Amino acid sequence: MGSTTLAVARQYADAMAAKDFATVASLFSDDIVWHQPGNHRFSGTFRGRDAVNEAIGAQMAATEGTLDIAITGEPMINDSLAAFPVHFSAKRNDAEMSMNGVDVLRVEGDRIAEVWLFSAIQQDEDAFWNAG
Protein backbone atom coordinates (compact mmCIF):
# COMPACT_ATOMS: atom_id res chain seq x y z
CA MET A 1 0.00 0.00 0.00
CA GLY A 2 2.77 2.45 0.90
CA SER A 3 4.34 2.28 -2.57
CA THR A 4 1.00 3.08 -4.24
CA THR A 5 0.41 5.91 -1.77
CA LEU A 6 3.85 7.33 -2.55
CA ALA A 7 3.27 7.10 -6.30
CA VAL A 8 -0.11 8.88 -6.06
CA ALA A 9 1.34 11.54 -3.72
CA ARG A 10 4.16 12.27 -6.15
CA GLN A 11 1.71 12.56 -9.08
CA TYR A 12 -0.44 14.95 -7.05
CA ALA A 13 2.55 17.05 -5.99
CA ASP A 14 3.92 17.28 -9.53
CA ALA A 15 0.53 18.18 -11.00
CA MET A 16 -0.22 20.83 -8.36
CA ALA A 17 3.19 22.42 -8.85
CA ALA A 18 2.61 22.51 -12.63
CA LYS A 19 -0.94 23.87 -12.16
CA ASP A 20 -2.07 20.86 -14.18
CA PHE A 21 -5.51 20.65 -12.63
CA ALA A 22 -6.79 18.15 -15.18
CA THR A 23 -4.23 15.67 -13.87
CA VAL A 24 -4.99 16.64 -10.26
CA ALA A 25 -8.69 15.97 -10.88
CA SER A 26 -7.93 12.63 -12.51
CA LEU A 27 -6.32 11.49 -9.26
CA PHE A 28 -9.46 12.13 -7.20
CA SER A 29 -11.91 9.38 -6.36
CA ASP A 30 -15.49 10.17 -7.39
CA ASP A 31 -16.47 10.63 -3.74
CA ILE A 32 -13.36 12.52 -2.56
CA VAL A 33 -13.66 14.56 0.64
CA TRP A 34 -11.60 17.79 0.77
CA HIS A 35 -11.11 19.63 4.09
CA GLN A 36 -10.26 23.32 3.55
CA PRO A 37 -9.41 24.96 6.90
CA GLY A 38 -10.21 28.40 8.17
CA ASN A 39 -12.98 30.91 8.34
CA HIS A 40 -13.26 32.34 4.83
CA ARG A 41 -15.39 31.90 1.73
CA PHE A 42 -13.42 28.85 0.54
CA SER A 43 -13.37 27.09 3.93
CA GLY A 44 -15.31 23.94 4.56
CA THR A 45 -15.63 20.32 3.62
CA PHE A 46 -16.24 19.61 -0.05
CA ARG A 47 -17.59 16.23 -1.11
CA GLY A 48 -17.29 14.75 -4.57
CA ARG A 49 -14.96 15.38 -7.48
CA ASP A 50 -17.13 18.13 -9.00
CA ALA A 51 -17.38 20.10 -5.74
CA VAL A 52 -13.61 19.89 -5.14
CA ASN A 53 -12.76 20.89 -8.71
CA GLU A 54 -15.18 23.82 -8.44
CA ALA A 55 -13.57 24.98 -5.17
CA ILE A 56 -10.04 24.80 -6.60
CA GLY A 57 -11.20 26.59 -9.77
CA ALA A 58 -12.82 29.34 -7.70
CA GLN A 59 -9.57 29.93 -5.79
CA MET A 60 -7.63 30.12 -9.05
CA ALA A 61 -10.18 32.54 -10.49
CA ALA A 62 -10.14 34.73 -7.36
CA THR A 63 -6.35 34.99 -7.60
CA GLU A 64 -6.32 35.39 -11.39
CA GLY A 65 -4.17 32.27 -11.60
CA THR A 66 -1.53 33.48 -9.14
CA LEU A 67 -2.19 30.74 -6.57
CA ASP A 68 1.05 28.77 -6.48
CA ILE A 69 1.60 25.60 -4.45
CA ALA A 70 5.15 24.34 -4.14
CA ILE A 71 6.04 21.06 -2.50
CA THR A 72 9.02 21.82 -0.25
CA GLY A 73 9.96 18.32 0.90
CA GLU A 74 9.56 14.64 0.20
CA PRO A 75 6.18 13.00 0.86
CA MET A 76 6.05 11.16 4.19
CA ILE A 77 4.11 7.91 3.91
CA ASN A 78 2.22 5.99 6.58
CA ASP A 79 0.28 3.16 4.91
CA SER A 80 -2.56 4.90 3.01
CA LEU A 81 -1.65 8.41 4.22
CA ALA A 82 0.80 10.83 2.66
CA ALA A 83 1.86 14.12 4.22
CA PHE A 84 4.15 16.70 2.69
CA PRO A 85 5.27 20.22 3.45
CA VAL A 86 4.12 22.90 1.05
CA HIS A 87 4.61 26.60 0.50
CA PHE A 88 1.72 28.44 -1.07
CA SER A 89 1.34 32.00 -2.24
CA ALA A 90 -1.14 34.13 -4.14
CA LYS A 91 -2.14 37.69 -4.93
CA ARG A 92 -5.65 39.03 -4.86
CA ASN A 93 -6.64 42.67 -5.35
CA ASP A 94 -4.14 44.48 -3.09
CA ALA A 95 -3.63 41.49 -0.78
CA GLU A 96 -0.80 38.97 -0.86
CA MET A 97 -0.34 35.68 0.93
CA SER A 98 2.78 33.56 1.30
CA MET A 99 3.11 30.81 3.90
CA ASN A 100 3.98 27.24 4.69
CA GLY A 101 1.57 24.43 5.27
CA VAL A 102 1.07 20.70 5.16
CA ASP A 103 -1.11 18.66 2.82
CA VAL A 104 -2.28 15.23 3.94
CA LEU A 105 -3.78 12.76 1.46
CA ARG A 106 -5.58 9.50 2.10
CA VAL A 107 -5.24 7.12 -0.83
CA GLU A 108 -7.63 4.26 -1.62
CA GLY A 109 -6.60 2.02 -4.47
CA ASP A 110 -4.85 4.39 -6.86
CA ARG A 111 -7.02 7.44 -6.16
CA ILE A 112 -7.05 10.23 -3.58
CA ALA A 113 -10.05 9.65 -1.32
CA GLU A 114 -9.54 12.46 1.18
CA VAL A 115 -7.40 15.59 1.60
CA TRP A 116 -6.68 17.71 4.66
CA LEU A 117 -4.93 21.06 4.26
CA PHE A 118 -3.09 22.84 7.08
CA SER A 119 -1.90 26.45 7.01
CA ALA A 120 0.92 27.77 9.21
CA ILE A 121 -0.91 31.01 10.04
CA GLN A 122 -4.60 30.37 9.47
CA GLN A 123 -5.71 33.86 10.48
CA ASP A 124 -3.46 35.37 7.77
CA GLU A 125 -4.93 33.04 5.17
CA ASP A 126 -8.45 33.94 6.32
CA ALA A 127 -7.62 37.65 6.04
CA PHE A 128 -6.29 37.14 2.50
CA TRP A 129 -9.39 35.33 1.23
CA ASN A 130 -11.74 37.72 3.05
CA ALA A 131 -10.01 40.90 1.76
CA GLY A 132 -11.98 43.09 -0.63
Side-chain angles (χ1 to χ4, degrees):
M1 178 61 124
S3 62
T4 300
T5 302
L6 179 59
V8 171
R10 286 189 191 281
Q11 289 176 312
Y12 171 85
D14 291 346
M16 286 297 270
K19 297 183 182 181
D20 179 358
F21 296 110
T23 296
V24 171
S26 75
L27 296 170
F28 295 157
S29 65
D30 290 340
D31 58 351
I32 185 173
V33 179
W34 183 280
H35 304 276
Q36 183 77 40
N39 185 21
H40 55 79
R41 64 185 174 140
F42 298 114
S43 297
T45 299
F46 301 89
R47 298 179 187 279
R49 182 183 292 159
D50 291 343
V52 171
N53 289 335
E54 189 175 305
I56 293 170
Q59 288 178 337
M60 290 304 292
T63 63
E64 297 178 343
T66 65
L67 179 60
D68 184 56
I69 301 163
I71 307 307
T72 59
E74 286 297 308
M76 297 163 274
I77 306 301
N78 184 342
D79 195 30
S80 65
L81 298 177
F84 39 87
V86 299
H87 183 84
F88 57 97
S89 60
K91 294 178 183 177
R92 185 174 168 276
N93 300 327
D94 291 331
E96 290 188 37
M97 167 179 64
S98 179
M99 75 179 68
N100 294 321
V102 174
D103 287 4
V104 177
L105 314 177
R106 183 173 59 81
V107 176
E108 284 183 7
D110 62 351
R111 295 284 179 259
I112 299 169
E114 199 160 7
V115 176
W116 295 266
L117 307 176
F118 297 85
S119 301
I121 309 170
Q122 187 60 59
Q123 60 270 30
D124 288 357
E125 183 182 358
D126 291 344
F128 172 79
W129 290 117
N130 288 328

